[in-house]
Amino acid sequence: AQVTEEDLANDQTITTQVVTNGMGRHLQRYSPLDTLNRDNVANLVPAWAFSLGGEKQRGQETQPLVYDGIMYITGSYSRLYAIDVETGEEIWQYDARLPEGILPCCDVVNRGAAIYGDKIIFGTLDATIVALDYKTGDVVWRDRIADYRAGYSYTAAPLIVDGLVITGNSGGEFGIVGEVQARNVENGDLVWTRPVIEGHMGTLNGEESTMTGELNASWPGDMWQTGGGATWLGGSYDADTDTLVFGTGNPAPWNSWLRAGGTESDDLMGDALYAASRLGIDPATGEIKWHFQTTPREGWDYDGVNEVIPFVDADGNQRYATADRNGFFYVLNREDGAFVDAWPFVKDISWAEGIDENGRPIFVEENRPGDPSASADGARGETIFASPSFLGGKNWMPMSYSQRTGLFYVPSNEWGMDIWNEPVTYRRGAAYLGSGFTIKPNYEDHIGSLKAIDPLTGEWVWEVQNGAPLWGGVMTTAGGLVFTGTPEGHLVAYDDETGEELWSFQTGSGIVGQPITWEQNGTQYVSVISGWGGAVPLWGGEVAATVNYLNQGGLLWTFRLPEE
Ligand code: PQQ
């Protein structure tokens, strides 16, 4: 058997396999399976568990893939495992040999692989992409995405469309330049590249194609050359409009005054296009079809990378939805990415009063960290409190769209930060922030908040609060279930209409992975990886201190209903 473009295109409806990140390239993470449902989920029990082994633990963020009786997962430190789905026995394991000196910003994570033909493909922390034979784990081809010594890394699941492997890059905290690349999945040959910062040149078939944006329209001087905008979370594919949708990280450095973004201007200057944006890209050529910038004049590390999910709203309109790190839930038009509406999905947003009718934030200028050069000694600008924190109202952990309820299920966090700016100059391979910060909880009893959101009105239909920040993916099913995990270790199933907890299981370590479901010989299975880590323990300030009791791990769990 070989995975085809049809398999990828129909992944949501072919319930015996999971061959794409997102359980469908639109990333809805919704399964039409309903043999497991609200009436029987209380009986769910483990079928098997698989340990990643070794002393290499840290954050386990993978979304498993299932094909032809084999489950494929990636692990921390760029490992990939093939496992028998019936028994949980290992078939083979691939360990990337990582060089000294890799510079991942936010833990040694990997979010999953891609599968096509007879190959399984994943990216490694040294900004390399590797294709393995899916039966043996032997390397078929390997290629460098970018130079890890300049701060580039890679953590996302690749996306496959029409025989091309599409990847982003990581490294935004090091003054790299965000880019999307497409390679021939058969041999790894580079087909096109699209840098996402204005002034940089794209390529197609080895030749220069077009410049991104217009030089110095929104970036002063040569700041665009180290402009950040890492495309670190990968993207979705909207088959109906034949568009890749990729998000871009914050512009570098964080200090917006150095990019002419400290004050509002009459033209685009200071907006830092196309950082902190969503881009619609032509998969055949890498040309940008449209852009929507969630946070122009970005100054709080509000990366615009979060997933964009195509859906049809209750009035029959073709829409995209995305829950941005900046705290606003956006609905965009699917043809051209144009702004439709936006609402807060967390409480206490302080950096903006709202979003205007053009989709531009209404800034609260007092809540922008101050200009260091305006301070007495030039060493530190005014410290302000901003909410959400730089780890966002929502970070990378994917939300889900239920076709059953028409609601989005958003894993969000209620927290803020003290943040200030400092002078900084670019040095290759060194952190390029120009900011300091401390994250703080906004409430004593919870940070995590799973919300069911109506995409027509922005209304929160229900909310379930959690002590620690939520950091795991969400999945919905036609059985009326919402699955997600907590850092405290529980995989939980909720009622999709009420938020009532129907089942939970303690997995032994924090869940920052992404659940899936599929069916094998008429039985519906649910799998999730457990293993606490990711950005929170590293960057979470006062919040990290409240969760430092959580243990690391590395166990993949698979559940089913008991045999009759
Ligand atoms: N990764 C996580 C995680 O896996 O928990 C959280 C974050 C990243 C962030 O909050 C980031 O800002 C971030 N930024 C970049 C970047 O700018 O290149 C990369 C990554 C990453 O690759 O994991 C993260």
Side-chain angles (χ1 to χ4, degrees), residues 61 104-107 109 111 151 153-156 169-174 176 229-233 249-250 254 301 303 305 325 390-392 395-396 471 533-536 539:
E61 296 187 349
C105 69
C106 310
D107 202 2
V109 295
R111 301 193 187 86
S153 56
Y154 190 85
T155 58
N169 61 18
S170 294
E173 320 312 350
F174 297 93
I176 61 86
T231 47
W232 60 268
L233 196 46
N250 65 306
W254 291 24
D301 190 28
D303 285 0
V305 296
R325 209 145 130 160
F390 69 90
L391 290 179
N395 204 285
W396 71 271
W471 218 252
V536 175
W539 293 101

Side-chain angles (χ1 to χ4, degrees), residues 163-244:
L164 297 176
V165 192
I166 323 271
T167 47
N169 61 18
S170 294
E173 320 312 350
F174 297 93
I176 61 86
V177 174
E179 187 164 270
V180 183
Q181 300 181 344
R183 286 180 174 73
N184 182 329
V185 65
E186 295 305 334
N187 52 26
D189 287 352
L190 196 59
V191 176
W192 55 257
T193 62
R194 172 53 54 194
V196 300
I197 300 295
E198 79 178 10
H200 292 270
M201 194 58 83
T203 65
L204 177 62
N205 298 320
E207 318 244 313
E208 284 192 350
S209 57
T210 56
M211 184 189 276
T212 298
E214 195 187 319
L215 185 61
N216 289 139
S218 68
W219 288 81
D222 60 4
M223 297 299 288
W224 58 277
Q225 289 184 9
T226 51
T231 47
W232 60 268
L233 196 46
S236 52
Y237 175 61
D238 179 8
D240 294 345
T241 62
D242 190 30
T243 305
L244 301 171

Side-chain angles (χ1 to χ4, degrees), residues 35 206 215 218 271 283 298 307 373 382 410 428 434 439 448 489 532 537 540:
T35 53
L215 185 61
S218 68
D271 279 3
E298 201 287 318
E307 72 283 7
S373 68
E382 191 196 345
V410 183
R428 186 179 147 92
I439 292 188
W532 171 238

Side-chain angles (χ1 to χ4, degrees), residues 16 70 86 117 139 193 196 219 515 541:
T16 52
I70 303 180
E86 304 262 0
V139 174
T193 62
V196 300
W219 288 81

Side-chain angles (χ1 to χ4, degrees), residues 488-508:
E488 291 88 343
H490 296 100
L491 178 65
V492 188
Y494 299 99
D495 184 313
D496 62 3
E497 290 173 28
T498 64
E500 184 194 347
E501 182 175 315
L502 301 176
W503 172 85
S504 93
F505 181 86
Q506 172 55 257
T507 60

